[in-house]
Amino acid sequence: MPEQFKIKLSIANRVYPLTINPNQEEGLRKATKKIEAMIGQFEQNYSVRDKQDVLAMCALQFAAQVEQKSIDKEYVNEEVQEKLEALNELLNEHI
C-alpha cells in the first residue's frame, strides 16, 4: 500500500490540507483547477455576492455532469444491446 502524504489545496481563497495516497494527487489537483476556473466563470458572468453561492453552483454543475454521463452511458448500453441482439438474430437466420 502506498504511503500517504500531505498536500494543501486552495479553493475559493481557502486552503484545505489533505492526507492522500500519491495516486490521488493528480486527480485532486486537476479537480481543484477546474473548480477555480468554474468559480472565475461564475463570478465573471453573474453578480454573485457570496463564495458559498458560487461553490454551490459549481457543485451543482459537477453533479449534473456526472448524472448526465450516467444517463448517456445507460442509453449507449441499451443501443449497443439492441444492435447486438439484431446481429445475433441475423447470424441465427444464416446458420
Side-chain angles (χ1 to χ4, degrees):
M1 179 177 205
E3 194 171 316
Q4 293 190 331
F5 68 99
K6 296 180 183 207
I7 63 170
K8 292 181 181 179
L9 299 176
S10 177
I11 301 172
N13 299 324
R14 284 189 156 184
V15 176
Y16 297 92
L18 300 170
T19 302
I20 63 166
N21 291 325
N23 60 353
Q24 294 176 304
E25 183 176 13
E26 182 180 1
L28 287 167
R29 294 206 186 273
K30 283 183 176 183
T32 300
K33 285 183 181 181
K34 284 184 179 181
I35 292 168
E36 285 294 324
M38 197 177 290
I39 287 171
Q41 288 177 341
F42 282 129
E43 288 178 335
Q44 184 177 3
N45 296 329
Y46 305 101
S47 60
V48 182
R49 298 178 189 163
D50 188 2
K51 287 283 188 193
Q52 185 172 349
D53 292 336
V54 175
L55 290 171
M57 291 164 57
C58 289
L60 177 61
Q61 188 159 346
F62 278 119
Q65 288 171 358
V66 168
E67 290 302 319
Q68 189 60 50
K69 284 183 182 180
S70 176
I71 291 167
D72 293 345
K73 183 178 178 183
E74 186 177 313
Y75 173 75
V76 167
N77 286 344
E78 288 174 5
E79 189 176 349
V80 168
Q81 181 67 32
E82 289 172 5
K83 288 182 179 181
L84 286 173
E85 287 172 2
L87 281 172
N88 194 32
E89 285 181 29
L90 285 172
L91 286 172
N92 285 333
E93 289 174 7
H94 293 293
I95 293 180

